[in-house]
Amino acid sequence: MLSTVAQVKTDVLIIGSGAAGARAAIEAAEFTAAVTLAAKGAPRRSGTTNLAGVHYAAALGHADEDTPWEHFHDTIVEARWLADQELARVMCLHGPKSVHDLERYGLHWYRTPDGTHYKQLPAPGHSFNRGVHYNGKTGKMVQDALIDEVKRHPNIHLLGDVFITQILVDDSGVVGAVGIHLERGELLAISTRSVVIATGGAGMVFKVTDMETGSTGDGIAMAFRAGADLIAPEMHQFFPTAFVWPETLRGVAVNSSQLWKLGLRLYNANDERFMERYYPEQKEHMPRDILSQCIFREITEGRGAEHGGVWLDTRWIEEFETLRRDRPRSYIWPEKLGVNVQRIEVAPTYHFTLGGIRINTEAETTIPGLYAAGEVVGATHGANRLAGNALTECLVFGEIAGRNAALRALSTTARPAPEAMVRAECQRLRGVLPETGTGRRPRAIYDDLRHAMYHNVGIVRDGRRLRAAVRRVAELREEVRSVQLTNTQHYNVEWIWALELDGMLELADLFATGAEMRTESRGAHYREDYPLLDNENWLKNILVRREGKRHVYWTEPVTLPYLSEVKMRYAEPSR
Amino acid sequence: MINQENAPKNGKPLQVNVLRYDPESGGAPYWQTYTVPRRRASRVLDVLEYIQDELDPGLGYRRHICHNLVCHSCYVNVNGHARMTCQALIKPDVAEIRIEPYGDFVPIRDLIVDYAQPR
Ligand SMILES: Cc1cc2nc3c(=O)[nH]c(=O)nc-3n(C[C@H](O)[C@H](O)[C@H](O)COP(=O)(O)OP(=O)(O)OC[C@H]3O[C@@H](n4cnc5c(N)ncnc54)[C@H](O)[C@@H]3O)c2cc1C
Ligand code: FES
């Protein structure tokens, strides 16, 4: 197994070809670096970027008097003041430019009928019409435009079906990486002084998610193993409304933040419009985190419908028929699977990984030569992300990461990936992919982990269940050592699950432990045993780093360099 | 409900014939038949995931996919026609289906093709 090692040399290695990784590759290539853009799936086809629905948030001011500063203000307030203001500021200020970049790469955004202005749509939490878009295909169009541009650069080498497993680091910073060429079942030793991690989120750690199925948080786990700081491991966003039925659609978001703006209504099994009870004034006009919690409550307190969801009623929306025809994938397709789109049974689904790798405004992690961009990064959106801000983050920080990675590579002497480190990673991989395991198959353990995380570290948490999750994760980690695998070399699907599981188990422990530390409720983090928001004690972030075998946790106060008067937008119960 | 759920809770199991190919043995492709319960046979995608998860973890089929009509990673030939598995509904009265790798690209293993290498 994995007996041959192929050598790869590159100035910059970018892990992940979604929006963030592809943008980073283009930028690094424009600075003349030789770039390797690796993805564990097929480039263009893999990643969550394709799935992004509609909004790309950028304050162009084409629909109204919007400014990047207003965008920044909304982002911080909706983040419940936990966002890193420096990162959010850069995202909002650079957002409009990234819209133009994408247009240059070939994405022809929807425009006003006379063609002079971009169309900008409203979304909850945004004070202005901010979402440029390509109807229901925005993510796909962004991904396509970026890969088309990538292909125009001869110095970008696209490497599909390559699973990166480790970043090699010594005292001077990044010195290489190791991966598995899935098609050949061969090890790759990659010599490089600059690595950009752009592997997306970790939705698959939870049982129900609308993310692409490769979203297993590999890059976050890799950065952690390499010794980088992670931030906000407890923060995970759920999208309030996703199909619960039929089974084949479970977890797929009923995808339009616009629906809320247009006036959808939510009912429980008793036909009560329950949001009136929680928020008599705003009703359904609440951010994702609060809607998710209210829906989850209805369900767990026994007011859920037939398949364990609540009813999303679209009959009150005048424009619905137009929207339905405009977005066949969202509405007409589910009809073919038996859904009545006038009244859809829905429940929250895992949607976005808010925590992740800590970076500064130069997209640098705490390890020299290691950069990160996109959903893999933590703290840009604090405790709640606004619609459309994810793609913007990818493009803005992808550009910055690509530039800095190239500049470092071009000014540092290249050297081969240290052999001893490559050997050590081979050794580790033999443990992750045992040849003679007799235990359960990886998929079964994978499912158990996802189940435990969804129920114990999901939308509503308490200390007892969080501790139970930590224990369960430890048991599964023990079990995974003797996992039983198919014995084939070329594209072994079970290897992928075992590799992913290894990182997911690491992350699950951090997610649950972080959630237990935060003894308050804020945004996406809701503790039944600490239901109040606590600005006095918890206007801080949780951080974690690995030192040897130890996990070291600490907290740091949120700094408020630009907006300092902490005011909440919604009447959340607080201390 | 406007429509009936297209996968009935019971009913005769579906016979699924899959064309397999093992690059290591170097041998010719061969057919293998799997039996899948009806309730797990809404779409061809569900069928392949069921086989991989419950019957044969060695079956090569890409799992880094969107499940939702956008990624175009899921192509196979169903009864001789190129289809996206996530879009290919299986009618309740169909007893048997035939699945082969998508013909436009070079095969890697079983139903996995190399999208970077058109044939
Ligand atoms: C249903 C849905 C709708 C959404 N709608 C919107 C929206 O309307 N607007 C918005 O702004 N955001 C939206 N989002 C969020 C947004 O799509 C994502 O946050 C964003 O696309 C993430 O991009 P990324 O480049 O960080 O990662 P991804 O696009 O997920 O790409 C990750 C890449 O990393 C690769 N990879 C992972 N692990 C490894 C490894 N170990 N080795 C090698 N390669 C690896 C993958 O193959 C892939 O190429 C939505 C998300 C979902 C799920
Ligand atoms: S699974 Fe993505 S298009 Fe079929």
Side-chain angles (χ1 to χ4, degrees):
Chain A
M1 192 205 75
L2 294 175
S3 43
T4 48
V5 184
Q7 303 287 332
V8 176
K9 252 198 229 127
T10 186
D11 290 336
V12 175
L13 170 69
I14 294 168
I15 315 173
S17 64
R23 182 64 187 89
I26 295 164
E27 195 65 15
E30 289 186 356
F31 279 89
T32 76
V35 178
T36 300
L37 180 55
K40 69 178 174 183
R44 194 195 287 276
R45 297 171 198 251
S46 67
T48 294
T49 298
N50 279 315
L51 278 161
V54 183
H55 292 260
Y56 187 105
L60 293 149
H62 281 204
D64 43 36
E65 302 296 297
D66 196 11
T67 66
W69 202 249
E70 294 290 348
H71 187 185
F72 173 66
H73 188 266
D74 285 339
T75 299
I76 296 302
V77 173
E78 295 282 335
R80 308 303 197 284
W81 295 87
L82 211 60
D84 179 325
Q85 292 200 3
E86 299 290 359
L87 296 181
R89 174 174 167 274
V90 168
M91 173 180 76
C92 297
L93 292 180
H94 292 224
K97 180 199 172 260
S98 69
V99 170
H100 294 289
D101 284 344
L102 281 163
E103 183 123 42
R104 283 189 281 271
Y105 304 151
L107 201 178
H108 302 296
W109 299 104
Y110 273 38
R111 287 178 173 263
T112 49
D114 63 1
T116 53
H117 290 78
Y118 294 115
K119 271 204 176 150
Q120 296 203 266
L121 299 172
H126 288 286
S127 309
F128 294 87
N129 285 14
R130 202 167 272 151
V132 289
H133 72 111
Y134 197 96
N135 207 8
K137 286 195 191 151
T138 301
K140 172 105 183 107
M141 298 305 279
V142 166
Q143 181 75 76
D144 277 348
L146 286 166
I147 296 292
D148 289 347
E149 180 66 13
V150 159
K151 293 199 162 167
R152 289 181 200 113
H153 288 278
N155 50 334
I156 302 178
H157 180 44
L158 251 178
L159 205 55
D161 294 325
V162 165
F163 195 121
I164 304 294
T165 63
Q166 189 84 303
I167 295 150
L168 308 178
V169 174
D170 71 10
D171 291 344
S172 70
V174 168
V175 289
V178 172
I180 297 178
H181 193 294
L182 295 170
E183 188 180 330
R184 298 202 289 263
E186 181 178 84
L187 222 57
L188 297 181
I190 303 166
S191 304
T192 180
R193 301 305 303 273
S194 285
V195 171
V196 178
I197 305 185
T199 50
M204 292 300 283
V205 177
F206 296 79
K207 187 173 80 178
V208 181
T209 178
D210 59 351
M211 290 170 73
E212 190 249 8
T213 44
S215 306
T216 45
D218 308 356
I220 309 175
M222 252 187 283
F224 184 68
R225 278 204 300 275
D229 289 2
L230 305 187
I231 187 163
E234 77 284 21
M235 288 297 175
H236 302 271
Q237 181 176 62
F238 284 75
F239 194 85
T241 53
F243 296 100
V244 293
W245 180 93
E247 192 54 40
T248 187
L249 284 184
R250 185 181 286 274
V252 172
V254 176
N255 209 358
S256 184
S257 304
Q258 254 175 299
L259 280 181
W260 303 342
K261 276 278 178 192
L262 294 173
L264 72 78
R265 295 184 182 184
L266 295 168
Y267 295 89
N268 61 23
N270 311 331
D271 238 356
E272 178 201 6
R273 190 175 170 193
F274 56 88
M275 286 308 294
E276 282 179 336
R277 175 164 23 93
Y278 295 103
Y279 292 93
E281 216 166 290
Q282 295 98 332
K283 305 188 179 78
E284 288 86 359
H285 284 267
M286 293 303 280
R288 292 172 173 180
D289 48 6
I290 294 179
L291 276 178
S292 290
Q293 282 148 23
C294 296
I295 295 173
F296 190 79
R297 276 239 169 117
E298 291 304 298
I299 298 166
T300 50
E301 289 171 11
R303 293 183 293 277
E306 219 178 319
H307 302 95
V310 298
W311 296 108
L312 181 162
D313 204 313
T314 58
R315 286 176 299 187
W316 307 92
I317 303 175
E318 268 174 41
E319 303 90 324
F320 183 69
E321 194 40 39
T322 321
L323 195 69
R324 173 178 164 275
R325 261 184 266 133
D326 237 25
R327 308 261 165 84
R329 185 167 66 86
S330 302
Y331 305 107
I332 296 180
W333 166 242
E335 284 176 353
K336 293 196 178 157
L337 289 163
V339 175
N340 172 2
V341 296
Q342 299 194 316
R343 222 170 138 77
I344 309 172
E345 197 178 340
V346 296
T349 190
Y350 186 105
H351 186 64
F352 187 84
T353 308
L354 292 158
I357 303 170
R358 176 189 225 181
I359 59 166
N360 60 16
T361 51
E362 293 300 320
E364 295 164 329
T365 69
T366 44
I367 296 174
L370 186 61
Y371 306 85
E375 192 169 335
V376 78
V377 164
T380 319
H381 312 280
N384 182 52
R385 172 175 74 77
L386 280 175
N389 268 359
L391 289 173
T392 314
E393 174 184 28
C394 288
L395 271 283
V396 167
F397 285 100
E399 175 180 352
I400 296 172
R403 179 175 62 232
N404 288 327
L407 293 178
R408 171 175 151 108
L410 298 172
S411 56
T412 318
T413 328
R415 56 180 160 119
E419 231 175 89
M421 286 189 187
V422 175
R423 263 203 310 277
E425 175 59 4
C426 281
Q427 199 54 38
R428 190 187 75 89
L429 287 174
R430 292 216 173 85
V432 178
L433 306 173
E435 266 180 275
T436 53
T438 52
R440 287 199 293 165
R441 316 225 52 125
R443 190 71 193 181
I445 303 174
Y446 190 102
D447 288 346
D448 277 6
L449 172 66
R450 300 181 68 206
H451 182 89
M453 290 300 284
Y454 185 76
H455 290 285
N456 297 323
V457 195
I459 303 159
V460 173
R461 303 161 167 180
D462 71 43
R464 190 182 50 79
R465 286 206 304 272
L466 291 169
R467 284 187 294 276
V470 171
R471 283 194 303 274
R472 182 73 186 122
V473 170
E475 285 165 15
L476 294 174
R477 274 184 113 163
E478 206 44 51
E479 201 189 339
V480 84
R481 289 163 192 252
S482 54
V483 71
Q484 196 184 143
L485 301 168
T486 325
N487 189 15
T488 53
Q489 189 91 10
H490 296 246
Y491 213 112
N492 184 329
V493 178
E494 280 198 302
W495 280 7
I496 300 178
W497 286 330
L499 291 166
E500 290 177 344
L501 195 49
D502 175 59
M504 286 162 78
L505 285 163
E506 180 100 72
L507 293 182
D509 177 56
L510 306 178
F511 294 171
T513 308
E516 205 206 332
M517 278 177 77
R518 184 174 285 280
T519 48
E520 66 149 359
S521 290
R522 181 183 300 267
H525 172 76
Y526 180 76
R527 286 277 302 253
E528 245 168 358
D529 46 354
Y530 295 94
L532 304 183
L533 184 120
D534 180 0
N535 278 337
E536 205 174 300
N537 296 301
W538 275 109
L539 218 47
K540 0 181 192 180
N541 268 303
I542 295 173
L543 291 105
V544 58
R545 175 199 308 142
R546 191 158 102 160
E547 287 174 10
K549 289 219 150 113
R550 277 177 52 234
H551 295 178
V552 182
Y553 289 87
W554 73 100
T555 59
E556 286 181 17
V558 177
T559 57
L560 305 167
Y562 305 104
L563 297 174
S564 52
E565 203 186 324
V566 178
K567 265 205 203 129
M568 296 293 163
R569 195 171 266 178
Y570 310 98
E572 282 151 300
S574 34
R575 259 189 71 176
Chain B
M1 295 291 125
I2 299 175
N3 297 325
Q4 288 298 309
E5 185 180 2
N6 86 311
K9 289 277 169 295
N10 26 48
K12 269 202 158 155
L14 182 73
Q15 296 289 324
V16 185
N17 304 310
V18 179
L19 188 65
R20 303 203 56 182
Y21 161 65
D22 177 7
E24 278 142 60
S25 74
Y30 61 98
W31 288 97
Q32 183 161 354
T33 303
Y34 301 95
T35 307
V36 176
R38 273 290 155 180
R39 67 190 158 73
R40 303 296 294 270
S42 281
R43 326 184 243 180
V44 173
L45 174 63
D46 305 321
V47 164
L48 291 173
E49 295 197 338
Y50 176 84
I51 295 173
Q52 235 177 13
D53 289 347
E54 311 285 337
L55 305 178
D56 185 354
L59 175 72
Y61 180 65
R62 282 185 189 276
R63 288 297 282 271
H64 290 150
I65 58 174
C66 74
H67 279 123
N68 200 17
L69 318 186
V70 292
C71 73
H72 298 198
S73 299
C74 64
Y75 273 103
V76 294
N77 279 5
V78 182
N79 296 337
H81 300 286
R83 298 294 308 274
M84 295 202 307
T85 60
C86 64
Q87 199 174 25
L89 299 178
I90 301 170
K91 294 212 178 72
D93 54 347
V94 168
E96 191 171 346
I97 58 171
R98 186 161 46 92
I99 305 177
E100 294 160 83
Y102 186 32
D104 290 2
F105 296 93
V106 173
I108 299 176
R109 155 181 303 284
D110 298 335
L111 301 172
I112 301 174
V113 296
D114 185 351
Y115 284 114
Q117 283 196 70
R119 279 229 252 225

